[in-house]
Amino acid sequence: MEFDALLLSRMQFAFTIAFHILFPAFTIGLAAFLAVLEGLWLWTKRDAFKTLYLFWVKIFALSFGMGVVSGVVLSYQFGTNWSEFIRLTGGVIGPLLAFEVLTAFFLEASFLGVMLFGWKKVGPRLHFTATVLVAIGTTISAFWILSANSWMQTPQGFEIMADGRFQATDFWQVVFNPSFPSRLVHMLLAAFMTTALVVGAASAWRILKEKRGSTTWTESRIALVMAIGLVAVVAPLQLVVGHWSGEVAHKYQPSKTAAIEGYWETRSNQPLHLFGIPDREAQKNHFEVSIPGIGNMIQNVPKDEVIQGLDAWPREDQPPPFIPFFGFRIMVGLGLLMIALGGVGAVLIWRKRLFESRWFLKFCVAMGPSGFIAVLAGWMVTEVGRQPWVVYGVLKTRDAVSPVTAAEVATSLTVYVLVYALVFTAGALFILRLMAEGPKAALAEPDPRQDRAPGSALAKAPADAEGGIPGDED
């Protein structure tokens, strides 16, 4: 492995995007959660929903800010490290990134201030509208970013001009390229799952630490039930959507599928490799554990259909199989644990034993970071599995790098690692500290509306309005 400018630029982009993707994966789902909380507050008049909103909106603000900062760094790298990529594909990629700024970012920026600081300035319905629009903005942002990245995976609707530059010929084909629908749904569900797991972990932690009947006991129980309910619905759905995305990859990116599944030999009736250590030099898997004859069924193709192995491509055109192979299995393994979490949690809610099952509460806490890990694993499968192409089948990664030296990239990579380690570690630790404190952090501040006459929808609920919560045995 030669640490030239190409490899170092890839390492730098991988490092910065690994940090960045964690924040959108969390804030997309958290923005929707906040909109639901505020809507329930307006509808039910229960102060518990307001307390939860005021608590989680702090974490949203911090996460959103760190996401914006890390996203700006990525955009600069297109110019500093990948200028040839932008020069050649700017006619296609440029408009997609511009639309993300003009629609999603401006929408979020316009209403984020109202959402965070408008409690005393605007009415409750207008504030709720601002929260909903911020949530919509995060989804629109995912739409355009996933469209651009999906076009790099399955390019459509373009032509290559005489000077090598790409020009869009059908913008709708560019946006709605073959892999975009499944990948957009897959990413949005991953964001909702990530948020639900974090909310569930933080709530379970407070229930384990607090005494029954403490100040925010009710809020923690409500949040936990909401989180488990979402996991119970979304986790099985994500398995179906993930299979859909895999079918698209099988059709349009067969080399990625071969790397993911550990297929070296082109043949029909492929096996399902449960485990192995892919060896690119030996062109085989070591310590292979397989189930014969069901690989084609997993790919949803007839048993006698030939599925390409990595031997169908020259070695220099094969994706490095180690990361896609294990990344995919990490993602699927965590997905199965999420399905188990949602299923068992739903049963405990039904039996009204949720808050007494300490083993399950500890399981929820342990699963808190699993959404982030699954997102990172899935992203690495997607990006490494595309290699050696930056635009699959059309433009190789080595032809997209800037004319920079290895020393220059190594210097900037070192700076990024040091700055990110300091800034984002501090931010993450502060967020974890807030989560550990729980909803009582929101009660430590004065009620932002206490000096205003409440409207009919915000009238304080009676003392007994909290009512029972599913899963409580009392």
Side-chain angles (χ1 to χ4, degrees):
M1 183 180 295
E2 182 182 355
F3 286 88
D4 55 7
L6 172 60
L7 179 59
L8 289 170
S9 293
R10 289 178 60 191
M11 292 173 61
Q12 179 172 298
F13 199 84
F15 174 78
T16 52
I17 201 170
F19 270 89
H20 172 70
I21 196 175
L22 298 177
F23 299 111
F26 183 42
T27 55
I28 291 170
L30 188 54
F33 180 58
L34 290 170
V36 170
L37 287 175
E38 190 167 8
L40 289 172
W41 175 38
L42 292 171
W43 182 33
T44 66
K45 308 179 179 124
R46 294 179 62 180
D47 285 342
F49 292 118
K50 179 181 69 175
T51 301
L52 284 170
Y53 180 95
L54 293 175
F55 168 61
W56 285 104
V57 78
K58 294 180 177 181
I59 296 171
F60 173 82
L62 289 167
S63 303
F64 187 88
M66 289 192 287
V68 170
V69 171
S70 57
V72 170
V73 172
L74 289 176
S75 63
Y76 277 115
Q77 285 186 59
F78 283 128
T80 57
N81 295 69
W82 302 100
S83 60
E84 280 299 294
F85 169 71
I86 291 300
R87 185 183 71 84
L88 295 173
T89 67
V92 179
I93 291 291
L96 300 178
L97 300 180
F99 279 126
E100 192 269 338
V101 174
L102 292 173
T103 56
F105 191 77
F106 282 4
L107 183 64
E108 294 165 345
S110 299
F111 290 96
L112 183 65
V114 178
M115 176 182 173
L116 299 180
F117 308 111
W119 285 96
K120 292 185 179 181
K121 307 298 183 183
V122 301
R125 289 178 178 81
L126 180 55
H127 188 274
F128 174 61
T129 301
T131 302
V132 171
L133 288 174
V134 170
I136 292 173
T138 60
T139 303
I140 294 174
S141 178
F143 177 95
W144 289 113
I145 296 301
L146 263 295
S147 177
N149 185 266
S150 297
W151 180 83
M152 295 163 63
Q153 305 287 336
T154 52
Q156 297 272 313
F158 72 98
E159 64 178 4
I160 301 179
M161 303 172 67
D163 59 358
R165 290 184 296 113
F166 291 53
Q167 177 176 294
T169 56
D170 188 329
F171 192 68
W172 290 110
Q173 286 189 15
V174 170
V175 175
F176 296 99
N177 56 80
S179 64
F180 171 63
S182 61
R183 297 187 68 237
L184 176 64
V185 177
H186 196 50
M187 185 64 205
L188 291 178
L189 292 180
F192 295 148
M193 282 290 300
T194 300
T195 300
L197 290 164
V198 171
V199 171
S203 303
W205 174 266
R206 292 312 311 164
I207 292 171
L208 287 168
K209 295 297 180 182
E210 291 180 356
K211 294 181 179 180
R212 177 178 291 274
S214 60
T215 306
T216 56
W217 174 259
T218 297
E219 286 80 357
S220 297
R221 290 186 301 164
I222 290 174
L224 180 59
V225 170
M226 293 177 69
I228 290 174
L230 185 61
V231 172
V233 173
V234 173
L237 182 59
Q238 182 71 307
L239 185 65
V240 175
V241 174
H243 182 69
W244 173 26
S245 185
E247 289 180 334
V248 174
H250 169 73
K251 181 177 180 180
Y252 292 96
Q253 295 180 288
S255 62
K256 178 187 290 187
T257 300
I260 289 172
E261 300 295 345
Y263 295 153
W264 294 99
E265 180 186 356
T266 299
R267 52 173 282 192
S268 61
N269 197 22
Q270 290 277 14
L272 172 63
H273 298 309
L274 300 177
F275 180 79
I277 300 178
D279 186 339
R280 195 177 186 182
E281 294 300 318
Q283 296 282 288
K284 67 177 184 178
N285 300 321
H286 300 289
F287 309 107
E288 195 173 83
V289 178
S290 307
I291 302 177
I294 67 169
N296 283 48
M297 182 181 70
I298 296 296
Q299 299 298 324
N300 200 29
V301 297
K303 189 175 182 179
D304 57 353
E305 180 175 317
V306 173
I307 295 180
Q308 289 178 299
L310 290 172
D311 62 359
W313 292 271
R315 185 169 300 191
E316 64 271 15
D317 289 342
Q318 295 174 358
F322 189 88
I323 291 177
F325 184 86
F326 283 104
F328 178 76
R329 280 148 185 79
I330 290 171
M331 179 176 60
V332 172
L334 290 174
L336 294 176
L337 287 176
M338 294 170 194
I339 292 174
L341 177 72
V344 174
V347 171
L348 290 173
I349 291 173
W350 176 63
R351 297 181 62 186
K352 298 185 178 180
R353 298 293 301 170
L354 177 64
F355 309 117
E356 305 305 318
S357 303
R358 294 183 65 84
W359 70 268
F360 182 75
L361 296 176
K362 293 177 180 178
F363 182 34
C364 290
V365 174
M367 288 292 288
S370 62
F372 294 113
I373 298 171
V375 167
L376 284 176
W379 199 259
M380 287 190 287
V381 168
T382 299
E383 298 306 300
V384 178
R386 184 184 60 201
Q387 297 304 315
W389 306 96
V390 66
V391 180
Y392 187 81
V394 181
L395 178 63
K396 287 195 170 182
T397 307
R398 65 169 182 256
D399 299 323
V401 71
S402 298
V404 292
T405 65
E408 291 170 332
V409 182
T411 300
S412 61
L413 175 58
T414 303
V415 172
Y416 278 129
V417 171
L418 294 175
V419 172
Y420 274 49
L422 177 64
V423 174
F424 289 104
T425 300
L429 289 175
F430 185 63
I431 289 174
L432 289 174
R433 181 179 176 183
L434 278 176
M435 289 182 183
E437 190 175 355
K440 66 181 181 181
L443 299 178
E445 298 181 356
D447 186 342
R449 294 192 188 276
Q450 65 183 0
D451 57 345
R452 298 181 57 189
S456 59
L458 298 176
K460 250 189 140 177
D464 61 348
E466 295 296 339
I469 299 173
D472 191 0
E473 67 173 358
D474 291 341

